[in-house]
């Protein structure tokens, strides 16, 4: 969380410890402890040192002591400890550091590095980086606090005018600063993003100019460093700095860090130095120089910078010819590297070159590449490089993905351009496709060898890697589809023949066949909506569906063979499912509208030797059924089988055919004609479906299984209650058994023999609940559970609150149970519609309330947890989700409860609020995914039940509002929108209570008490909202304007102070303009919260935001 101002006691302690002085003995003792911490001879010695030193880095009181150590120690370990400790403390307690101390700390660190940096490089180089990082953090934290903290270029410039090691040090400061300035997701995110954007505009261009200038001097031989190691260090530092500058987050979007690819480099228009066509040549020359001196890390950085240059946004170039020159330089440079193969024996350089080629192709269209004079020579070099790489598939296999992506990206343009595309390209792509197929088979052979010592990731074991490779192959295969398919089928026949003759080891047969099935699936899926290439439109070629029929026929014949085996390889089973999924997409799924015409299905059936499309579908269903019966030991197989089954059951698509109007095909209806599906529906709980009883960790698959069966069931029976009761017989049997146990006494359910059936029942019912999309289906499930509505306490539905009463401390039971109830009370698609005279809505809410009170009371009393997330926060998240569904279901008249003195609503609401208060802000941020219902509940509670919310003590309500303030800064759109709505609800309620002066009510007293005891709480939210509006970080002006007006009217005096503060934060010449913007913001706004007035304020705020952002 963002640091809060410290209290008076802490400030007093700080003053006492401000001198921070130590005598020589104390310093020597601390140095000894630091040495033990980093270089201990035993674990006990390290633990003792850690225990003694830890308090120094946990309290801001010790900042002066750590500064004293930093200034006076000669021990590198004490230096590292004090620098890292200071960095941790000032980051956490920056608001409590005095302005004078900030200035002194920055100046001290700059002077310290200038004086001691070169000696440290020579004697203890590991001590330099922590001090540099500390300096950069001080600069970053203080950046927005005044221009005196922003003169970093002038201060570091002095280092660059001194000795070579000072030069390296200055560049290291710049390098670390450009890294630390990058905005990241987390506390104070909004402030750091503003810091980064200010740094981008003021200091970054000058820093990048320094790096380019230095590189230019190195190339021209103007840098004379006698020691080659020092020159290497300098070179690496300046290249790293260039790379940091080019990869800076210019837009403040905080991109996903899971990929190393930056799609477009959004450098500002003012960086004109990058339009110089000599820039790529500079980096290629430095690459050659680094390779000559055998400095591989420098060579890699050169190529990384070139990758970023290749990704410059198109609009950055004012003239198209500038961009063309850049492309020509890139082509010329890469052609030279490919021809000479210089540096490519280094794996890092090889990888970066592959990235560079992929990036050049991704950022330019084929006709732009072809227009270059060097295209022919360049493409030949890339082709021979790719073929050579595929022949040596075991070297850097992951880097080849960029190369293959290069060629895969050319397939569509080659097909679209037709005769206008270079003739050789189609041949090149086809040769690379075949070479790629061969390389996968070599890979299969190597991975089957248990003595193989090669260090590479097998794509058959890595789903993400495999998906990337198959996607590339599906694109490559579209170029000459028939030829590629025939080539793969030839291998398929050969492997099958050798396998059946026993001439191939079983492990090799399994791996090769797995790859071939995957590749056949990729071909079928990739050819779904592709135009045919020149070669495939020749009249001698077979139609695509015939080729697909041949591929599919071979697969199904193999499936029949392996299904007879007791335990075929898991990889091969997964490959079958991948093939069936691709087949479904083309001939049955949602993409089928482009390909599936009636005649094609019939002709495909003919090729497969089947009667019609129902029989084609039958092949898929039979495989699904056999997997559910016999392959349940293989968890990945059962997971993908159920996913495929669900896709088939849920599929609804519009099919076009030339001889009739478009018509709907509901693949679920086709499934209901299938014998295997009929058998599964009639025997869904039979023991032969072993995955149902295979173990508790298979529970999630039961939910998916019953969700799919529920869809098919309701499609078939509509509102036939007898058929529904017959389907539910196995669940009825379990429910009745558990019910009888619960009637024997509260603890009778707490037996291991009840645990498995109870969890299974909750999973099954949740799946069936998910399938209830209409009111008829839901009512059948409701009446099946609430079987005695006139005496609700003896209805079967109360089993769940009884079970929760005894199993509340076991998350294996509580999570599925709470998730089922959350589904049961969820009014999605308005499926819960009871008659006007029916009490069912109230019964449903009261059951949800009972569940919440039963679980919440106990979980809040528990203090010991082994795993906080699993045992506490996950359960609280699901419970709040359930209660939110019940509150927002629109099937309960909440006024009835108070009218008839029923405490269900008030008890459950009070407990839900206590559950929210039991989650510290830090944990809320850490487990946001599981705890999103927290914000959903607060929005609903403040919308319709504010009278209950204000019953909380002021400090409790402050805690909730602080979490809402943090939620406003969330990158989760849903969370930030719910926080806006919650603030609007609170402020509107407060304003209404404060405005109503005709009579005094307890609610008014509570509101006045809160505003007097916690006056700054809403003021902070007002400040944060204005920051979000003025920096453009909140995407919906409408959503933020609604609560903002109420906040302004509630805190008029504070708004005037804040306005002045925000105006003073800008430079002198912008202040009059900003003042007039604030005046215009409130122009015509009345002192009320009517919809008309809010709409007027929204329009004003939109104009205000547009103008203010241009000033920032």
């Amino acid at each position: 969380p963002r640091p809060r101002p410290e209290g008076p006691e802490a400030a007093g302690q700080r003053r006492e410890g401000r001198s921070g002085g130590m005598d020589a003995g104390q310093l020597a003792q601390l140095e000894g402890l630091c040495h033990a911490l980093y270089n201990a001879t035993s674990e006990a010695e390290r633990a003792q040192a850690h225990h003694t030193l830890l308090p120094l880095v946990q309290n801001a009181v010790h900042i002066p002591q750590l500064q004293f150590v930093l200034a006076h120690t000669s021990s590198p370990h004490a230096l590292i400890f004090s620098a890292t400790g200071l960095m941790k403390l000032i980051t956490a307690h920056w608001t409590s550091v005095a302005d004078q101390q900030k200035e002194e700390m920055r100046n001290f660190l700059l002077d310290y590095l200038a004086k001691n940096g070169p000696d440290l490089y020579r004697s203890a180089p590991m001590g330099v980086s922590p001090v540099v990082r500390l300096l950069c953090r001080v600069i970053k934290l203080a950046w927005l606090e005044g221009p005196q903290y922003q003169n970093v270029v002038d201060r570091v410039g002095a280092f660059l005018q001194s000795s070579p090691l000072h030069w390296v040090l200055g560049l290291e400061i710049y390098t670390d600063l450009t890294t630390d300035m990058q905005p990241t997701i987390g506390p104070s995110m909004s402030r750091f993003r503003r810091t980064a954007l200010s740094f981008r505009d003021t200091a970054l261009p000058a820093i990048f100019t320094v790096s380019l200038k230095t590189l230019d001097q190195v190339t021209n031989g103007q840098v004379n460093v006698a020691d080659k190691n020092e020159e290497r260090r300098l070179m690496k530092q300046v290249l790293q700095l260039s790379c940091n500058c080019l990869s800076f987050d210019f837009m403040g979007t905080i991109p996903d860090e899971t990929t190393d690819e930056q799609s477009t480099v959004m450098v500002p228009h003012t960086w004109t130095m990058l339009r110089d066509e000599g820039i790529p040549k500079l980096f290629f020359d430095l690459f050659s120089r680094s390779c000559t001196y055998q400095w591989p890390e420098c060579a890699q950085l050169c190529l990384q910078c070139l990758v970023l240059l290749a990704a410059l946004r198109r609009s950055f170039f004012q003239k198209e010819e500038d961009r063309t020159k850049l492309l020509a330089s890139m082509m010329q440079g890469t052609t030279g590297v490919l021809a000479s193969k210089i540096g490519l024996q280094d794996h890092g350089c090889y990888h970066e070159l592959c990235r560079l080629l992929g990036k050049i192709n991704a950022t330019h269209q084929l006709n732009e590449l072809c227009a270059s004079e060097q295209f022919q020579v360049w493409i030949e070099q890339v082709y021979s490089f790719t073929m050579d790489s595929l022949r040596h598939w075991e070297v850097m296999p992951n880097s080849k993905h960029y190369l293959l992506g290069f060629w895969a990206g050319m397939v569509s343009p080659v097909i679209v351009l037709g005769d206008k595309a270079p003739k050789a390209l189609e041949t090149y792509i086809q040769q690379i496709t075949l070479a790629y197929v061969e390389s996968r088979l070599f890979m299969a052979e190597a991975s089957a060898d248990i003595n193989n010592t090669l260090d590479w990731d097998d794509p058959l074991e890595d789903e993400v890697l495999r998906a990337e490779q198959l996607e590339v192959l599906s694109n490559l295969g579209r170029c000459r589809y028939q030829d590629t398919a025939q080539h793969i089928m030839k291998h398929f026949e050969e492997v099958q023949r050798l396998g059946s003759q026993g001439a191939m080891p079983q492990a090799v047969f399994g791996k090769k066949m797995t790859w071939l099935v995957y590749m056949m699936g990729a071909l079928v899926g990739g050819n779904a909506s592709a135009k045919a290439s020149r070669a495939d439109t020749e009249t001698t070629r077979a139609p695509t569906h015939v080729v697909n029929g041949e591929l599919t026929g071979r697969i199904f014949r193999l499936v029949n063979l392996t299904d007879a085996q007791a335990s075929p390889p898991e990889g091969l089973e997964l490959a079958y499912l991948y093939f069936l999924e691709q087949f479904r997409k083309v001939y049955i799924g949602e993409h089928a509208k482009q390909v599936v015409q009636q005649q094609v299905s019939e002709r495909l059936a003919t090729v497969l030797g089947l009667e019609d499309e129902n029989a084609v579908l039958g092949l898929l269903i039979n495989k699904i059924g056999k997997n559910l019966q016999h392959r349940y030991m293989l968890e990945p197989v059962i997971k993908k089988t159920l996913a495929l089954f669900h896709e088939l059951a849920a599929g609804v698509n519009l099919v076009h055919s030339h001889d009739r109007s478009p018509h709907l095909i509901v693949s679920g209806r086709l499934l209901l004609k299938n014998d295997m599906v009929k058998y599964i529906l009639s025997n869904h709980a039979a023991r032969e479906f072993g995955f149902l009883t295979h173990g508790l960790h298979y529970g999630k698959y039961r939910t998916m299984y019953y969700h799919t069966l529920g869809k098919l069931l309701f499609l078939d029976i509509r509102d036939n209650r007898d058929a529904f009761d017959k389907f539910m017989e196995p669940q009825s049997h379990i429910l009745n058994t558990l019910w009888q146990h619960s009637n024997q006494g509260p603890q009778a359910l707490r037996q291991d023999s009840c645990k498995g059936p109870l969890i299974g029942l909750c999973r099954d019912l949740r799946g069936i609940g998910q399938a209830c999309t209409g009111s008829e289906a839901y009512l059948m499930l409701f009446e099946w559970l609430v079987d005695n509505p006139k005496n609700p306490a003896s209805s079967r539905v109360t089993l769940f609150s009884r079970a929760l009463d005894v199993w509340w401390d076991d998350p294996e039971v509580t999570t599925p149970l709470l998730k089922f109830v959350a589904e049961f009370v969820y009014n999605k698609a308005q499926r819960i519609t009871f008659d006007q005279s029916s009490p069912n809505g109230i019964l449903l809410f009261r059951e949800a309330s009972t569940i919440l009170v039963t679980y919440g009371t106990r979980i809040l009393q528990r203090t010991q947890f082994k795993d906080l997330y699993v045992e506490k926060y996950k359960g609280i998240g699901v419970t709040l989700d359930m209660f939110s569904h019940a509150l927002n279901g629109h099937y309960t008249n909440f006024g009835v409860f108070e009218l008839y003195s029923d405490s269900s609503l008030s008890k459950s609401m009070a407990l839900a609020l206590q559950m929210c208060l039991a989650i510290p802000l830090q944990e809320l941020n850490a487990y946001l995914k599981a705890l999103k219902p927290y914000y959903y509940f607060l929005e609903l509670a403040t919308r319709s039940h504010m009278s209950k919310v204000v019953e909380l003590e002021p400090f409790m309500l402050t805690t909730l509002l602080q979490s809402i303030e943090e939620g406003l800064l969330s990158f989760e759109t849903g969370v930030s929108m719910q926080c806006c709505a919650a603030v609007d609800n609170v402020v509107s309620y407060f304003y209404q209570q404060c405005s109503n002066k005709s009579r005094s009510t307890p609610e008014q007293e509570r509101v006045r008490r809160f505003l007097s005891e916690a006056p700054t709480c809403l003021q902070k939210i007002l400040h944060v909202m204005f920051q979000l509006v003025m920096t453009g970080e909140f995407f919906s002006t409408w959503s933020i304007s609604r609560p903002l007006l109420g906040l302004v009217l509630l805190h008029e005096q504070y708004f005037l102070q804040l306005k002045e503060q925000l105006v003073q934060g800008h430079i002198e010449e912008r202040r009059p303009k900003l003042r007039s913007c604030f005046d215009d913001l409130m122009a015509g706004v009345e002192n009320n919260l009517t919809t008309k007035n809010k709409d007027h304020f929204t329009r004003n705020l939109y104009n205000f935001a547009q103008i203010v952002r241009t000033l920032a």
Side-chain angles (χ1 to χ4, degrees), residues 7 75 115 127 147 467 506 626 867 929 950 1006 1039 1067 1099:
S75 158
K115 183 181 172 187
Q506 197 59 36
K626 289 212 170 73
D867 185 330
K929 188 179 175 193
V950 291
R1006 291 188 192 111
S1039 301
I1067 55 174
R1099 285 192 292 275

Side-chain angles (χ1 to χ4, degrees), residues 640-655:
K640 288 190 180 296
T641 301
L642 287 167
L644 177 62
F645 190 24
H646 185 77
E647 289 290 341
L648 286 168
V652 178
N653 35 289
L654 192 63
V655 176

Side-chain angles (χ1 to χ4, degrees), residues 646 650 707 710-712 714-715 767-781 823 826-833:
H646 185 77
H707 184 187
K711 273 188 174 297
L712 293 169
F714 295 130
L715 203 61
I768 292 165
Q770 287 171 340
C772 296
T773 51
S775 56
E776 293 171 343
Y778 181 83
L779 196 59
M780 284 194 286
L781 177 63
E823 178 61 42
Y826 185 20
N827 190 10
K828 62 182 175 192
Q830 301 303 305
R831 64 182 181 173
I832 306 179
T833 49

Side-chain angles (χ1 to χ4, degrees), residues 425-716:
L425 268 184
E426 203 170 297
T427 311
Y428 286 165
I429 294 169
Q430 176 61 9
Q431 291 303 313
I432 284 162
T433 309
L434 300 186
Y436 181 63
V437 170
E438 298 294 332
S439 73
R440 297 310 91 184
L441 296 176
F442 283 128
M443 183 183 277
E445 206 163 324
S447 66
D449 181 3
I450 54 170
N451 299 317
N452 176 37
T453 55
L454 290 172
D455 181 23
W456 49 274
D457 297 322
D458 185 358
L460 294 183
E461 308 294 329
D462 185 329
E463 190 170 352
V464 175
L465 199 58
R466 182 172 69 239
E468 284 177 350
Q469 298 196 4
L470 292 173
E471 187 184 353
V472 163
L473 179 67
S474 69
N475 275 324
L476 289 171
R478 287 165 45 209
C479 187
R480 287 190 183 167
Y481 186 66
Q482 323 284 352
D483 293 346
T484 309
Q486 292 299 334
H487 183 80
I488 291 180
M489 282 192 279
K490 187 182 77 180
H491 275 297
F492 185 91
E493 300 288 350
E494 185 189 353
V495 171
Q496 197 168 20
R497 180 176 57 77
L498 291 171
S500 60
Q501 292 171 359
M504 181 183 284
Q506 197 59 36
V508 176
F509 171 79
K511 291 279 187 182
K512 283 196 168 185
M513 209 39 113
T514 302
W515 262 117
L516 287 163
V517 173
Y518 270 125
M519 291 193 285
M520 289 157 94
L523 283 188
V524 170
N527 206 250
S529 56
K531 292 184 179 178
S533 66
R534 284 193 302 247
D536 286 349
T537 49
E538 294 168 17
T539 50
T540 54
R541 302 282 170 148
T544 300
H545 72 271
V546 172
V547 178
N548 284 350
E550 289 180 20
L551 289 168
T552 309
R554 284 169 169 75
I555 298 284
F556 279 116
R557 284 195 288 279
L558 182 65
V559 166
N560 292 336
L561 284 173
T562 53
D563 274 353
Q565 298 174 11
S567 56
E570 180 183 301
L572 189 56
E573 288 293 334
L574 289 171
Y576 290 152
L577 288 166
Y578 173 79
F579 181 88
L580 295 180
E581 173 60 17
Q582 300 308 308
F583 183 82
R584 180 196 71 78
K585 281 181 183 173
V586 179
Y587 291 103
I588 301 154
E590 64 273 16
H591 305 298
K593 54 180 176 250
Q594 294 151 359
V595 239
V596 181
Q597 297 166 349
Q598 216 170 11
Q599 61 195 49
V600 171
S601 278
E602 287 164 8
R603 287 186 302 186
L604 181 76
T606 311
V607 176
L608 291 170
L610 301 168
E611 292 176 21
D612 56 14
E613 61 183 3
N614 292 342
V616 175
L617 191 60
L619 292 173
L620 274 74
I621 297 300
N622 288 338
K623 178 59 186 160
I624 287 169
K626 289 212 170 73
N627 280 0
L628 295 178
Q629 289 167 325
H630 307 298
R631 301 287 179 253
Y632 60 83
M633 306 78 66
L634 308 172
E635 188 175 348
V637 173
I638 210 78
K639 180 181 177 182
K640 288 190 180 296
T641 301
L642 287 167
L644 177 62
F645 190 24
H646 185 77
E647 289 290 341
L648 286 168
V652 178
N653 35 289
L654 192 63
V655 176
H656 299 262
S657 59
H658 63 92
D659 59 340
R660 57 182 285 190
S661 60
H663 59 290
L664 273 177
I665 285 189
V666 180
S667 50
R669 292 201 191 286
L670 297 178
L671 259 63
L672 288 166
K673 298 178 186 175
N674 182 271
D675 290 338
M676 176 61 89
V677 171
K678 288 178 186 171
Y679 178 78
I680 294 172
L681 280 169
S682 306
N683 303 277
H684 56 87
R687 293 195 69 80
E688 63 188 285
F689 298 114
F691 74 94
L692 293 171
T693 52
H694 190 59
L696 289 180
H697 66 290
Y698 265 43
K700 51 183 176 275
Y701 305 124
R702 293 182 74 128
T703 302
M704 190 186 282
Y705 175 66
Y706 276 100
H707 184 187
T708 306
L709 292 185
K711 273 188 174 297
L712 293 169
L713 176 75
F714 295 130
L715 203 61
D716 188 28

Side-chain angles (χ1 to χ4, degrees), residues 307-445:
V307 171
L308 292 163
L309 286 172
L312 287 176
R313 60 192 173 108
R314 185 180 284 265
S315 57
F316 171 72
F317 298 94
Q318 290 165 335
K319 301 177 191 166
E320 195 56 41
E321 63 197 65
D322 289 342
R323 193 162 180 270
T324 309
K325 283 176 186 173
L326 177 75
L327 174 61
S329 298
M330 288 285 182
M331 279 187 167
Q332 190 174 350
T334 45
T335 305
V337 174
L338 290 169
S340 65
K341 296 195 167 35
I342 185 170
L344 296 186
Q345 63 279 9
D346 176 72
H347 287 179
C349 291
Y350 176 89
H351 176 76
E352 295 302 335
L353 182 67
C354 293
R355 281 185 65 210
L356 178 56
L357 291 169
K359 186 59 74 179
I360 292 170
N361 186 45
T363 51
H364 294 87
Q365 294 172 359
L366 181 59
N367 54 1
E368 291 174 328
L369 297 172
C370 293
S372 174
E373 295 171 11
Q374 294 148 5
F375 176 75
Q376 198 54 47
V377 181
W378 180 70
I379 203 74
E380 283 172 14
Q381 287 289 352
V382 178
Y383 169 67
S384 58
F385 177 59
T386 308
M387 290 298 282
D388 192 48
S389 296
L390 288 173
R391 279 191 286 274
H392 301 96
W393 61 268
E394 71 285 356
V395 180
M396 300 290 289
N398 295 352
S399 305
K400 295 184 176 63
H401 178 70
Y402 297 105
L403 279 181
L404 293 161
F406 175 98
W407 295 101
M410 287 198 168
V411 172
S412 288
V414 164
I415 292 173
V416 169
L417 290 173
D419 293 330
K420 293 176 187 172
K423 299 285 184 287
L425 268 184
E426 203 170 297
T427 311
Y428 286 165
I429 294 169
Q430 176 61 9
Q431 291 303 313
I432 284 162
T433 309
L434 300 186
Y436 181 63
V437 170
E438 298 294 332
S439 73
R440 297 310 91 184
L441 296 176
F442 283 128
M443 183 183 277
E445 206 163 324

